Amino acid sequence: MNFADEIVQWYLINKRDLPWRNTTDAYTIWLSEVILQQTRVEQGMPYFYRFLEKYPDVSSFAAAHEDEILKLWQGLGYYSRGRNMLKTARLVQETYSGRFPDSYNELIKLKGIGEYTAAAISSFAANEAKAVVDGNVYRVLARYFGIYEPINSTQGKKTFQKLADDFLNKKMPGLHNQAMMEFGAMLCKPKNPACNVCPVRPGCEAFKTGAVATLPVKLKTVKIRERFFNYFLITDGDTVLMNKRGENDIWANMFDLPMIETGSILPLEELLKQPEVLSVFGKKIDAAEVSPVHKHILTHQRLFVRLIQIHNQPEIKTDKNWVKIDVQNLPGLALPKIIFILLKNIFNL
DNA sequence: ATCCCGGTCT
DNA sequence: AGACCGGGAT
């Protein structure tokens, strides 16, 4: 028996009895599939029952008000799913006279139905030979075949779709698709997969190489953080107050200037009222901006940096990391690029 | 408290 | 590539 047949055998014995599996009605399957997008079975189940009871067919769904749909959808998240369902129900009512389509090529045109859902509905309702590739299928294929291509890259998606298509049981695509997903959800789980009872363990590349916990590979999207650095230029004769940075943030152990970080760009007036500023510099600061806001790009951060000169400051509550440095010694310090630029403009370094 | 997970649309 | 959401794990 090949890999896919083994999984179908496993499925026939171990499957959960879920309500949407006992029908070939495209409308009912559509309802369940959209509810289950990005949603766990346990969470989606009560919503499925409520929707099916209130809207037993596409005509009743199409006749609903958007407010009713959203109310019934409340708590499920990704509310555009509900709004798209209403658009689709109305379109189906109009153009298909209420007969929900069950072919991949018709389904894929509908709002809220992408590749996965079109393959799911067409294979479950009409046994069309389209392989589903959802998060479960990615995981099962990546592990069994030992594929390190990222599942969320453009090329990776193609690779996995092709692999899924190649292994699809063309005689019973619906059963095959259900089996692949159930196997991923119940046995080949993201965490703590049940390899000890896995029927395809002997052929599993990830198991052989100890890569089960590593696969599938997923590109993590590096979110770029925006930060706002307000630097203060505090001079005394030929010296300037510098700050030795700590270990944990960017520019570890390098020198910058005394600084207050804020959550956004504040007008100078506002900035000087911030508690952190008041506690360090007091109320009567004679301060002026001496640089525009510089945008400084790092790999994971976008910095908005400006320099504010403080003219008359007799008593500053100084920090233990602050040190007076002779201006002529500034070029000898390890300075981040943007700090060097700010100081260069002031002191003609 | 923060991270991770997941289909579709734009 | 990023936005959309809530739940479960850490």
Side-chain angles (χ1 to χ4, degrees):
Chain A
M1 249 193 318
N2 81 6
F3 152 75
D5 294 339
E6 290 279 7
I7 287 180
V8 168
Q9 289 310 304
W10 174 91
Y11 174 75
L12 292 173
I13 296 165
N14 296 286
K15 68 177 177 178
R16 290 169 290 181
D17 186 18
L18 301 174
W20 45 83
R21 284 185 178 155
N22 303 321
T23 181
T24 55
D25 176 51
Y27 167 77
T28 308
I29 295 169
W30 167 69
L31 202 54
S32 71
E33 287 300 335
V34 177
I35 287 174
L36 292 175
Q37 287 168 2
Q38 315 292 3
T39 305
R40 287 169 175 74
V41 166
E42 314 81 64
Q43 195 200 358
M45 183 96 75
Y47 288 85
F48 171 76
Y49 282 124
R50 274 179 247 146
F51 268 91
L52 195 58
E53 182 167 14
K54 190 158 181 192
Y55 311 115
D57 50 43
V58 73
S59 305
S60 52
F61 200 115
H65 222 270
E66 186 174 90
D67 294 343
E68 295 170 18
I69 301 294
L70 291 174
K71 179 61 186 169
L72 212 49
W73 203 271
Q74 181 179 294
L76 198 52
Y78 288 112
Y79 298 93
S80 62
R81 289 183 291 170
R83 292 190 290 268
N84 283 335
M85 287 187 95
L86 184 54
K87 288 179 195 157
T88 286
R90 288 178 176 169
L91 187 141
V92 168
Q93 183 62 26
E94 286 297 308
T95 49
Y96 298 97
S97 309
R99 202 206 109 248
F100 209 95
D102 62 6
S103 76
Y104 182 94
N105 289 334
E106 294 298 328
L107 289 162
I108 195 71
K109 296 177 190 162
L110 302 173
K111 280 264 190 307
I113 298 182
E115 284 188 46
Y116 161 78
T117 307
I121 299 174
S122 64
S123 68
F124 301 157
N127 258 312
E128 187 171 337
K130 294 284 183 191
V132 296
V133 184
D134 74 342
N136 295 303
V137 176
Y138 278 121
R139 188 167 57 254
V140 171
L141 295 176
R143 285 176 176 166
Y144 186 81
F145 294 103
I147 298 170
Y148 286 79
E149 225 175 297
I151 61 172
N152 56 344
S153 66
T154 308
Q155 187 51 50
K157 285 176 190 164
K158 286 181 188 162
T159 301
F160 283 95
Q161 184 68 56
K162 175 159 189 353
L163 198 56
D165 288 338
D166 289 347
F167 274 85
L168 176 67
N169 184 326
K170 314 290 189 300
K171 296 264 172 49
M172 34 187 188
L175 180 63
H176 168 100
N177 281 337
Q178 292 280 17
M180 290 290 288
M181 293 193 285
E182 185 80 339
F183 181 79
M186 303 298 290
L187 192 150
C188 196
K189 296 175 290 181
K191 296 271 173 67
N192 306 317
C195 300
N196 52 335
V197 295
C198 177
V200 296
R201 189 173 80 177
C204 178
E205 194 61 27
F207 187 83
K208 284 179 207 162
T209 58
V212 172
T214 310
L215 293 171
V217 173
K218 196 174 181 182
L219 252 30
K220 56 185 75 176
T221 54
V222 274
K223 57 170 186 281
I224 295 183
R225 201 158 52 117
E226 293 199 333
R227 303 176 73 180
F228 303 88
F229 289 1
N230 305 277
Y231 281 112
F232 294 96
L233 180 65
I234 304 162
T235 55
D236 180 8
D238 288 337
T239 68
V240 56
L241 199 56
M242 300 294 292
N243 171 59
K244 179 93 153 74
R245 293 181 60 83
E247 304 242 312
N248 296 327
D249 204 346
I250 56 169
W251 306 329
N253 303 331
M254 296 176 76
F255 281 90
D256 61 356
L257 296 152
M259 184 262 284
I260 302 292
E261 181 170 358
T262 51
S264 61
I265 297 181
L266 297 170
L268 186 57
E269 289 286 298
E270 286 297 311
L271 178 69
L272 297 180
K273 287 188 211 156
Q274 297 299 302
E276 306 94 304
V277 178
L278 289 173
S279 70
V280 178
F281 300 113
K283 281 186 184 169
K284 298 175 194 159
I285 317 172
D286 178 8
E289 298 194 53
V290 292
S291 86
V293 175
H294 286 79
K295 190 169 166 182
H296 189 69
I297 311 289
L298 305 176
T299 311
H300 303 299
Q301 304 187 19
R302 199 160 27 223
L303 306 183
F304 295 87
V305 179
R306 66 172 165 180
L307 185 59
I308 295 150
Q309 184 158 24
I310 298 187
H311 291 111
N312 68 328
Q313 201 42 244
E315 290 174 29
I316 294 167
K317 202 174 116 202
T318 173
D319 188 285
K320 65 174 179 348
N321 295 317
W322 291 359
V323 288
K324 278 187 178 183
I325 303 282
D326 277 356
V327 170
Q328 61 185 21
N329 292 333
L330 283 176
L333 294 182
L335 303 172
K337 176 103 174 173
I338 183 65
I339 300 300
F340 184 76
I341 290 169
L342 292 175
L343 293 174
K344 183 162 66 83
N345 292 339
I346 299 290
F347 297 114
N348 297 312
L349 299 179

